[in-house]
Amino acid sequence: MTQNQTTGRQPVSDWAVGGVVFAAAMLLMNGLFQVIAGLAALINDEYFVVVRGYAFDLDITAWGWIHLILGLVVVGAGIGLLVRASWARVVALIVTVLSAIDNFFFIPYAPFWSLLVIALDVWIIWALTRPNVLQQ
């Protein structure tokens, strides 16, 4: 019997293991960018263009606080993934989903950036949901 048959684990590709490390690095970078966007909105209310007639119209300062807090949590989850903390995978999945939702609602204010972050969030979710990636 092979090693995979005796342990009952599925073989994990190098792409998936490397994907988790890349996902952690992307979480760190994504979180830092969210923090910077949040600070930009808090420091200068006129940095982002206010969209008229948007159903989810929030004050730019409110968006700033949302981005700042979410960015700090995303950075924490990325650090947790890098140090292989047991809680990090679940927290990273949750905050990545929240990041994608946040950026979906932020599309009218920064469309290109929001769509790019959503695409990265989808890739991070894929990388983190690979089976048995963090157990090796």
Side-chain angles (χ1 to χ4, degrees):
M1 295 188 108
T2 65
Q3 177 67 20
N4 289 333
Q5 290 172 337
T6 58
T7 61
R9 292 185 180 172
Q10 295 177 346
V12 178
S13 71
D14 292 336
W15 283 93
V17 174
V20 171
V21 174
F22 186 72
M26 287 294 102
L27 278 170
L28 287 171
M29 192 171 67
N30 187 6
L32 289 174
F33 286 156
Q34 295 258 25
V35 167
I36 291 169
L39 288 174
L42 290 173
I43 293 170
N44 184 3
D45 278 348
E46 298 171 4
Y47 181 74
F48 293 107
V49 176
V50 178
V51 177
R52 302 271 185 239
Y54 183 49
F56 303 102
D57 186 23
L58 286 178
D59 182 50
I60 296 297
T61 304
W63 279 117
W65 281 110
I66 291 169
H67 280 287
L68 180 66
I69 292 168
L70 185 61
L72 291 173
V73 175
V74 168
V75 167
I79 292 170
L81 272 179
L82 284 177
V83 298
R84 297 180 74 130
S86 59
W87 54 267
R89 188 174 182 181
V90 173
V91 171
L93 281 171
I94 291 169
V95 297
T96 302
V97 169
L98 290 176
S99 173
I101 292 169
D102 173 43
N103 282 287
F104 173 76
F105 289 122
F106 201 67
I107 287 174
Y109 300 96
F112 178 74
W113 178 250
S114 294
L115 292 173
L116 178 66
V117 171
I118 290 169
L120 284 173
D121 287 338
V122 168
W123 192 89
I124 292 168
I125 291 168
W126 173 86
L128 293 175
T129 55
R130 300 294 305 150
N132 300 324
V133 171
L134 295 179
Q135 280 95 24
Q136 289 194 355

